[in-house]
Amino acid sequence: MNNDGYLDALIGNTGENAVWINNGSGVFLPDLVTMPGDTWTTDFACADFDLDGDIDLVCANRGSNQLLANIGNGFVEAAAGLFPTDNDDTSSVELFDFEGDGDLDIAFGADAFGASAPFLRVYRNDGLAGFHDVQVHGDVRLDWSVVSLTSADLEGDGDVDLVSTGPNGVQVMLNPSRKHLQAPLVARAGRSYTVQVVGGASPPTTWLLSLGALPAPVATPFGLFRLDPITTVALPTPGSFLSVTIPSNTTLVGVDLHWQALLAPVSLPQPELTDMIVDRVQ
């Protein structure tokens, strides 16, 4: 908590939470850090949300969940407007990159302890120390209570999915946030080849083809651009799929085709880049 290289301890209470500071000799010192208000905290998550070099906290509470900023000698609640107001029976919290934009977003899982039904709630990180409820499927109503959440790319499609566990079993929640490209046919010289968009209603306005990829993606107002700009060509062919014939030329065998698409803002607030797929010509 205090950036001294020693792991400190967080204690969630029905009442005031606490941080015990590790003095480096295996002794934890209580009451050195101020914590705001009385809460009923069931889970914590830690990260540097405001990018000031120290560790901030998310508290999963029965009642209003909290985002707490680290001010050095304690924690204070995030300023009004930076964190949604809720009143949930939250049982768990998981940090994950919901949109693939490099920022940590927040998933809360709730149980049916109180009057509310169990559900999943996702708060999107705006990159400026603020969060907004993205209303994933109107917040996902679950079949049973959530005890814990964990995240991983279960489909291998480049985004992070969620798994909840509870007293009645395991529930898998696949990430619907990003639009993906898919090539159902093997890329073969002299044959027809198709690329299509899955996971979204907005059709591409422009298909982007490149012979290479950037070492690291570049952030743009439309999402992450991943293609080598030197070899990228734009194919302005509207539609949810693109069919081309790969020339019958043996020099193309072994060439990697890198694809992205720019989606039209039909059901989106602005144009959006898809993920990238790569196919090697056979």
Side-chain angles (χ1 to χ4, degrees):
M1 197 288 287
N2 55 0
N3 286 332
D4 62 359
Y6 302 117
L7 292 176
D8 305 310
L10 282 171
I11 295 91
N13 289 320
T14 304
E16 185 174 314
N17 297 325
V19 177
W20 291 2
I21 299 298
N22 185 343
N23 70 358
S25 301
V27 176
F28 288 84
L29 307 175
D31 302 325
L32 298 181
V33 175
T34 58
M35 298 287 282
D38 287 346
T39 58
W40 183 348
T41 297
T42 56
D43 198 8
F44 289 107
C46 308
D48 183 9
F49 294 111
D50 52 12
L51 304 179
D52 63 353
D54 54 29
I55 298 298
D56 309 303
L57 299 178
V58 174
C59 301
N61 297 327
R62 298 200 184 278
S64 182
N65 298 313
Q66 295 172 298
L67 173 63
L68 304 182
N70 188 335
I71 58 172
N73 62 345
F75 292 86
V76 296
E77 290 205 49
L82 291 181
F83 200 69
T85 300
D86 52 49
N87 187 22
D88 303 330
D89 289 315
T90 306
S91 53
S92 57
V93 60
E94 173 79 355
L95 302 181
F96 74 126
D97 189 357
F98 176 67
E99 302 169 294
D101 61 358
D103 297 321
L104 285 176
D105 308 300
I106 303 171
F108 290 112
D111 61 22
F113 178 85
S116 65
F119 63 84
L120 171 74
R121 193 187 294 279
V122 175
Y123 289 169
R124 184 187 66 201
N125 188 332
D126 64 10
L128 302 172
F131 290 84
H132 307 280
D133 191 338
V134 299
Q135 292 288 319
V136 182
H137 297 315
D139 291 329
V140 179
R141 295 288 162 172
L142 304 178
D143 294 332
W144 48 73
S145 296
V146 177
V147 173
S148 65
L149 284 171
T150 190
S151 58
D153 183 4
L154 302 176
E155 303 169 284
D157 61 358
D159 57 25
V160 183
D161 310 299
L162 290 170
V163 177
S164 73
T165 61
N168 296 315
V170 176
Q171 296 176 96
V172 175
M173 292 151 285
L174 301 179
N175 189 335
S177 69
R178 294 170 59 203
K179 314 310 186 282
H180 305 290
L181 295 186
Q182 185 180 77
L185 302 176
V186 175
R188 296 186 185 277
R191 300 286 185 87
S192 177
Y193 177 76
T194 299
V195 186
Q196 62 190 33
V197 176
V198 294
S202 297
T205 56
T206 304
W207 294 87
L208 303 171
L209 169 63
S210 179
L211 299 182
L214 292 169
V218 174
T220 76
F222 313 120
L224 295 178
F225 182 74
R226 301 177 181 274
L227 305 178
D228 171 20
I230 296 176
T231 61
T232 295
V233 294
L235 307 173
T237 307
S240 60
F241 68 93
L242 172 69
S243 290
V244 297
T245 297
I246 299 175
S248 182
N249 188 328
T250 56
T251 62
L252 294 176
V253 175
V255 171
D256 289 331
L257 306 178
H258 299 69
W259 294 93
Q260 276 191 277
L262 185 65
L263 302 183
V266 175
S267 62
L268 301 169
Q270 64 179 14
E272 178 183 306
L273 283 167
T274 65
D275 58 357
M276 180 183 70
I277 63 168
V278 182
D279 255 353
R280 178 163 293 176
V281 178
Q282 305 295 313

